[in-house]
Amino acid sequence: MRHKLVWALAWISAWLLLTVAAAVALGTAELQRLRERFEADARVVHRLLSLRAVEHETILATLALLDVPGADAAAQRLPAIYPRVLAVLRREGNLPWGDAARAEALASAEAASRRAGRAWGLVSELGEGRLWVVQASDQASHALRIDLAGMVRAAEWPFAGMDAVRVELSHAGHRWVIQPGAAEQGGWRFQFDKPLTVRSQPFDVVAERRVGWSELPWAYMGAAAALIGGVLVGAALLQQQRVARRRAEELLRLGQRGRLNAMGEVAAGMAHELNQPLTAILASTRAAERLLRDDPADVDAARGAMKAAGEQARRAADVLSRLRRIMERPGGADRIEAVDLRAAVDGALHLVEPQLRRLRIQVRVQGQGTPIVMADPVALDQIIHNLLGNALHALEQVPEPERRLSLTAGAEARDGWLLVADSGPGIPPALRARVFDPFFTTREGGLGLGLSLCETLAAGMDGRLELAAAGDPRRVAAGMPGAAFILSLPLRHQP
Amino acid sequence: MSDAVQLSPLIHLVDDDEAVRNSLALLIGTVGLRVRTWTGPDDFLAGFDGDNVGAILLDVRMPGTSGLAVLETLAARGVDQPVIMMTGHGTVDLCRRAFKSGAAEFLEKPVDDDLLLDTLQKAVRQHVRSRERLRADRIARQRYAQLSEREREVLGLIIGGLTNKEIARALGLSPRTVETHRANLFSKLEADSLAQLIRSYAQLVEEGDAA
């Protein structure tokens, strides 16, 4: 339980970690993309505004160049062509500037323009969105009054409709907000700050882009989390499956060992139960012998000893008959039912599949039809399992490429049969007669009860378990050089 | 501890199986050994009196722990009787553990009569010898304790192989005085000959020197 919890926590932590990493990567990439786009757009804005500013200079230069009588009227038409040009002022000789309120400011700008030999911008009204550009000239100086808002046309404005972007022009403490942007808290800020390259109007173009949390690619992040989750769940399931499989294999192994242990216990118990009376018998008879050898012989004591020995012999016999009663399977005949021999073989093979794979044994299952036999399914399983176990053990002793196992099922007259043959070393002819004897074994640590038990089980089902004779056609057909056993069981009566 | 008890060794037979107990007791009795039977470890440990000369024949039940536990308890009590273990289900491991716990012998049931009786008699003889050695040793110690300081010095030099004259020179005494000491210590130690003196007391003198 605790183990499971630890695993679950580990998987969840892995998922969290990977998801966070993916989200950070996705978010960073998105921010990078937004920043690049913003900077490209800001550069476009900077270029647009530069063009407009240059236009102002060009207009003034053209006005100065074309300054002939009557040109004033043409100048007055300028606002119609350039809507942002609100007014065009002209000053000649020692006359003051037409706009009395700004005459002084315009005069100083004109002086500056004359000194610099180029147009001069007047930014004092920047806050109201107005700009004056003055060009001094020998004949007549001109001044343009520009509506800053008119410098920007919605169609060419890259930040149109973007609330998150603020753009302003600023110079010497004066500023004009072109696009206010929504004041949003939190998130990230990108900034762009670059002065116009036009010397008469050297405003800083300041753009700021705010990226709120809501702009992060949440959908992709969610998808990534789901994807990672999916992959991890798959991996967890795979892992679980592997663990479950390993556990099953272990259980199988333990079960087999457990059965052997149980048999060992029975053997040990039997040994002890028999040893006690045998010890008493031996001691009593030897004592009697010695008593009779004495001179004079103590016949009475010897008689008592012999009587005790006889009682102990009876006790030993009782132990054995009790053991036999325990070993007898209760109600054997009740469990007989129709069993598909092929299905039983498949089931038994499935149980030893891990060993088959480990030993790289080539298995061939053949059959003529599907014989249905009358058997106790548990006993049948036990017999086949035992035969397979013996075969696997034999095949361990031959090199890998030669490990072959053949199982053939068939029917003959009133019997269904199963041949289990292997390519192992086989059974030496001298031992053939003894393989079914109880406690006969060639395995180190073996009890020698397996085949004996199987034979008993087969007989209990009115069947037989025998070694296949060398010339048996069924064995010849299997073509296996090693041991071959044939289990025969009565076929189901055809109605 | 009287000599009479020592003369008739007693075998303690511990086995929970009555038939085994009776038959083995009868068998052991045929060679003149007395047998006292016990029905189990608890019974035995409660009633056992270690004064007798003899041996203990102990059945180890299958799982093996109880018999070994008895062995350890006996060892802790300082029991010096040799213990012979018997089992119907002997494993090499059990055997090794039994010897490690101080068993004198390890027999498998059913046990051959000659082997059993030989083993028991050998064990008894061994115990008798060890008890005799113990007794002689105790007597020697008692006698040695009666010697004076000077007599012990003289005894050490006698055992060292020096003649009276040499001893007199070594200790700055007259040969006559040495002669007197020599006679006294022979009488106190109840030694009949120089050979017996050396055999019985060489060990003690060595211990005294070491102390």
Side-chain angles (χ1 to χ4, degrees):
Chain A
M1 195 60 221
R2 202 185 154 73
H3 186 72
K4 264 188 180 167
L5 195 71
V6 169
W7 267 110
L9 278 178
W11 282 112
I12 288 172
S13 323
W15 173 77
L16 271 176
L17 213 71
L18 287 172
T19 298
V20 165
V24 166
L26 283 170
T28 310
E30 177 66 6
L31 285 176
Q32 181 65 24
R33 195 183 68 80
L34 289 176
R35 176 193 293 278
E36 280 169 9
R37 213 179 109 191
F38 163 73
E39 280 173 358
D41 288 348
R43 275 196 299 275
V44 168
V45 165
H46 180 266
R47 199 166 52 83
L48 274 175
L49 294 174
S50 294
L51 279 174
R52 297 287 178 271
V54 168
E55 257 174 23
H56 303 153
E57 287 187 357
T58 313
I59 292 167
L60 283 170
T62 311
L63 285 174
L65 222 81
L66 299 178
D67 194 48
V68 291
D72 198 32
Q76 296 313 319
R77 284 211 308 279
L78 261 177
I81 304 163
Y82 296 104
R84 67 177 185 280
V85 179
L86 298 174
V88 181
L89 296 185
R90 182 172 182 275
R91 193 193 66 81
E92 217 174 334
N94 290 326
L95 293 175
W97 283 93
D99 191 329
R102 300 185 182 84
E104 212 172 306
L106 285 170
S108 73
E110 184 190 355
S113 166
R114 197 176 299 282
R115 272 199 310 279
R118 58 174 171 80
W120 194 267
L122 185 60
V123 295
S124 55
E125 290 174 49
L126 205 62
E128 291 99 70
R130 300 290 182 264
L131 167 69
W132 289 89
V133 187
V134 180
Q135 172 73 59
S137 174
D138 292 340
Q139 290 150 19
S141 298
H142 290 86
L144 296 178
R145 188 167 189 237
I146 306 293
D147 175 13
L148 285 172
M151 283 177 77
V152 172
R153 275 203 294 274
E156 57 185 15
W157 187 246
F159 294 130
M162 289 182 71
D163 281 346
V165 180
R166 176 185 175 89
V167 184
E168 58 184 41
L169 287 176
S170 76
H171 186 71
H174 302 280
R175 74 180 59 223
W176 166 243
V177 177
I178 300 173
Q179 180 169 330
E184 201 178 326
Q185 292 304 309
W188 294 262
R189 267 187 210 197
F190 306 143
Q191 291 211 293
F192 178 89
D193 187 343
K194 192 176 176 187
L196 292 182
T197 46
V198 183
R199 288 164 76 196
S200 64
Q201 299 147 70
F203 311 119
D204 285 326
V205 177
V206 178
E208 188 179 276
R209 166 82 157 94
R210 286 168 185 276
V211 179
W213 287 98
S214 59
E215 283 189 73
L216 289 179
W218 293 112
Y220 284 113
M221 290 179 182
L227 192 73
I228 291 166
V231 168
L232 286 184
V233 163
L237 285 179
L238 214 73
Q239 155 93 0
Q240 208 171 32
Q241 213 175 10
R242 237 189 0 242
V243 167
R245 168 141 215 139
R246 205 160 47 216
R247 190 164 305 149
E249 282 169 7
E250 211 149 287
L251 276 181
L252 195 69
R253 251 199 318 276
L254 278 181
Q256 281 161 1
R257 194 172 308 153
R259 213 165 34 207
L260 276 182
N261 281 349
M263 287 182 96
E265 289 289 314
V266 169
M270 207 168 77
H272 181 78
E273 285 287 298
L274 285 177
N275 250 328
Q276 294 295 84
L278 285 177
T279 304
I281 291 167
L282 192 60
S284 295
T285 52
R286 294 301 195 199
E289 207 182 320
R290 283 167 188 274
L291 288 168
L292 293 174
R293 207 161 52 200
D294 283 354
D295 191 24
D298 188 344
V299 179
D300 281 346
R303 190 178 292 129
M306 292 314 291
K307 188 159 172 279
E311 280 163 7
Q312 290 307 304
R314 162 90 5 240
R315 176 181 163 195
D318 286 347
V319 168
L320 283 180
S321 73
R322 204 167 61 235
L323 190 76
R324 209 171 293 129
R325 271 203 305 281
I326 293 168
M327 295 290 227
E328 264 170 21
R329 295 158 53 77
D334 298 349
R335 306 183 182 201
I336 300 285
E337 55 187 74
V339 184
D340 182 341
L341 202 47
R342 285 290 295 273
V345 167
D346 290 343
L349 277 175
H350 180 72
L351 267 181
V352 294
E353 204 217 313
Q355 285 107 302
L356 290 173
R357 243 180 316 134
R358 183 170 56 79
L359 295 173
R360 298 181 196 286
I361 295 173
Q362 306 164 42
V363 185
R364 194 176 53 188
V365 183
Q366 290 167 295
Q368 304 158 5
T370 50
I372 307 290
V373 295
M374 298 306 292
D376 169 357
V378 178
L380 179 59
D381 279 350
Q382 211 164 348
I383 295 172
I384 301 176
H385 189 80
N386 230 301
L387 293 177
L388 286 178
N390 284 347
L392 292 186
H393 189 259
L395 289 175
E396 270 179 20
Q397 300 164 36
V398 296
E400 253 180 45
E402 290 166 34
R403 290 176 184 166
R404 283 173 296 131
L405 176 65
S406 165
L407 292 116
T408 317
E412 199 175 68
R414 291 167 52 212
D415 279 346
W417 54 265
L418 171 69
L419 174 85
V420 180
D422 63 58
S423 61
I427 296 163
L431 301 182
R432 285 178 68 92
R434 295 177 56 199
V435 291
F436 291 111
D437 288 354
F439 302 109
F440 172 77
T441 183
T442 56
R443 280 192 219 175
E444 187 145 345
L447 268 179
L449 287 177
L451 281 175
S452 154
L453 178 69
C454 288
E455 194 194 26
T456 310
L457 288 173
M461 298 185 287
D462 290 332
R464 294 187 307 284
L465 179 64
E466 58 207 339
L467 269 174
D472 191 306
R474 294 171 288 191
R475 181 181 180 173
V476 173
M480 289 288 163
F485 286 88
I486 293 185
L487 170 68
S488 307
L489 289 165
L491 280 172
R492 180 174 57 179
H493 290 299
Q494 299 298 330
Chain B
M1 188 197 305
S2 74
D3 285 2
V5 171
Q6 280 197 331
L7 285 175
S8 173
L10 180 62
I11 306 295
H12 295 273
L13 169 59
V14 189
D15 196 307
D16 61 353
D17 192 311
E18 195 192 350
V20 171
R21 236 169 23 233
N22 291 342
S23 59
L24 285 178
L26 185 67
L27 179 65
I28 296 165
T30 60
V31 289
L33 289 167
R34 290 190 304 143
V35 182
R36 165 112 199 238
T37 59
W38 307 87
T39 58
D42 298 336
D43 179 26
F44 171 62
L45 288 175
F48 173 66
D49 165 18
D51 278 350
N52 287 297
V53 163
I56 299 162
L57 186 55
L58 186 62
D59 176 50
V60 189
R61 286 291 296 189
M62 254 190 345
T65 40
S66 67
L68 293 175
V70 172
L71 257 186
E72 274 150 27
T73 310
L74 289 176
R77 279 198 201 169
V79 169
D80 64 345
Q81 268 92 342
V83 180
I84 295 144
M85 308 282 280
M86 257 187 322
T87 178
H89 190 61
T91 62
V92 177
D93 179 52
L94 183 61
C95 183
R96 187 169 33 228
R97 275 160 60 201
F99 280 124
K100 226 176 188 171
S101 306
E105 197 55 74
F106 192 89
L107 301 175
E108 268 201 66
K109 279 182 176 178
V111 58
D112 180 74
D113 58 329
D114 285 330
L115 178 63
L116 174 68
L117 296 173
D118 271 2
T119 306
L120 283 174
Q121 281 168 328
K122 215 185 292 169
V124 167
R125 273 200 299 277
Q126 176 198 333
H127 191 225
V128 166
R129 262 204 306 278
S130 91
R131 279 281 169 93
E132 274 169 357
R133 250 200 317 277
L134 216 65
R135 188 160 153 266
D137 191 52
R138 197 169 54 237
I139 291 169
R141 270 172 207 279
Q142 280 167 1
R143 288 173 181 162
Y144 183 72
Q146 294 168 358
L147 297 186
S148 70
E149 197 61 36
R150 179 62 83 189
E151 281 162 353
R152 285 186 199 178
E153 275 177 340
V154 174
L155 173 63
L157 294 174
I158 292 171
I159 288 171
L162 272 63
T163 62
N164 281 357
K165 268 186 195 161
E166 286 164 337
I167 294 170
R169 207 175 302 132
L171 297 177
L173 301 171
S174 72
R176 184 170 293 274
T177 314
V178 172
E179 194 71 47
T180 313
H181 285 314
R182 187 181 181 116
N184 282 343
L185 69 90
F186 261 79
S187 118
K188 277 183 184 174
L189 297 178
E190 294 183 30
D192 298 331
S193 66
L194 183 60
Q196 195 207 330
L197 186 81
I198 291 172
R199 196 166 54 239
S200 306
Y201 296 97
Q203 184 73 28
L204 275 176
V205 169
E206 224 167 86
E207 280 172 25
D209 284 351

